[in-house]
Amino acid sequence: MSAAEPPGDGDDQLLVVIDPVARRSDGESVRIAKDVLSAGAHAKICLPDTPEEFARALSRRGARRPVVVGDDRALLRAVAQLHRERELAAGVLSLIPVGAAHALEVAHALGVPRGAVAAARTALDGAVRRLDLLVDDSDGVVLGRLRIPAPPPPPPGSGAPHTNITAMWDTCRSLVTSLVRPAPVAATTNPGTHRLRIEADGVLLSDLDTPVRDLSVTSQGGGGLADVVVRTGSGEDVTAEAKAVTVSGADFRYRADIQTGGPVRTRTWTVRAGAWGLMLPGPASADAAAGARW
């Protein structure tokens, strides 16, 4: 994370966008956040009911600084839209975290205060911190952590059922095959692994002949680098720091923060240094935020 910056001259003009999930899950926290923000600034309150209305409210913010009341999904939606509009670098976002604990892991890792009152006060009087952003080649964004986890094993008995005639034919064919040539070696792909080619800044970390159980790419928060960890099928970890990571191979899915993407056959993620600004507690809390772990 970079050093704190004072908010701009228009910091008393707020657009408060309250996610519908937050209104349904914790109306009391939403009310408290609205009261604190309205008491400290000129706040326009928007209550969108759909993602389309959420996007429309943000696009019509004018000079107002956006404050999102909601969970990680709402924050990611706001960052993604501002990135698509190419307005992310010029603006500053605030988040009032409202939602279930598991839906706020990204916000807390970034250093956003946990309580509605503390978060609202931070939105009013905190400091702007410039944070890195992972951007993929389809214009998708990752705030903190990208993962390609091990694929789930196929369910038992998932193959097509055999009739008695088919089973007898398979038995005969196996017997004949075993008589004329050696038994085949084990399958080339271990259960629960991928066959992926993984490059970090052009350096090969893993190729298609190495089973991979897990890939993790985590933004360091500031400085323009990401931590890359490849866990192979043998349990070995291959680590690197990189500005860009390219993954290719058979169709794979990935988890970007809280969202699942794919299947794709190739994807490149690039770190954009200081790409977006988030209001966080002042310098006294900066070290704690910088030390957060995904």
Side-chain angles (χ1 to χ4, degrees), residues 83-166:
H83 169 71
R84 288 192 298 268
E85 294 177 356
R86 301 301 183 256
E87 294 287 340
L88 192 57
V92 177
L93 274 169
S94 297
L95 176 70
I96 314 299
V98 176
H102 70 272
L104 295 172
E105 292 178 357
V106 174
H108 296 156
L110 290 171
V112 175
R114 294 176 181 268
V117 173
R121 288 175 177 167
T122 296
L124 294 170
D125 304 320
V128 181
R129 298 192 178 278
R130 304 305 305 182
L131 304 174
D132 294 350
L133 189 69
L134 279 169
V135 180
D136 68 37
D137 46 14
S138 69
D139 226 20
V141 299
V142 185
L143 304 185
R145 189 183 187 195
L146 163 79
R147 283 192 66 213
I148 301 178
S158 57
H162 288 187
T163 64
N164 290 337
I165 295 177
T166 304

Side-chain angles (χ1 to χ4, degrees), residues 12 14-17 30-43 45 65 67-69 94 96 116 119-124:
D12 58 342
L14 303 180
L15 175 71
V16 182
V17 184
V30 169
R31 183 192 64 78
I32 291 172
K34 285 168 54 180
D35 290 348
V36 174
L37 293 171
S38 298
H42 301 289
I45 309 297
R65 179 161 56 85
V67 179
V68 176
V69 181
S94 297
I96 314 299
R121 288 175 177 167
T122 296
L124 294 170

Side-chain angles (χ1 to χ4, degrees), residues 8 24 38 67 91 111 131 143 173 176-177 198 227 241 259 283 286:
R24 292 193 298 268
S38 298
V67 179
L131 304 174
L143 304 185
R173 183 171 54 185
V176 171
T177 301
I198 303 170
D227 294 318
E241 291 183 327
Q259 297 184 337

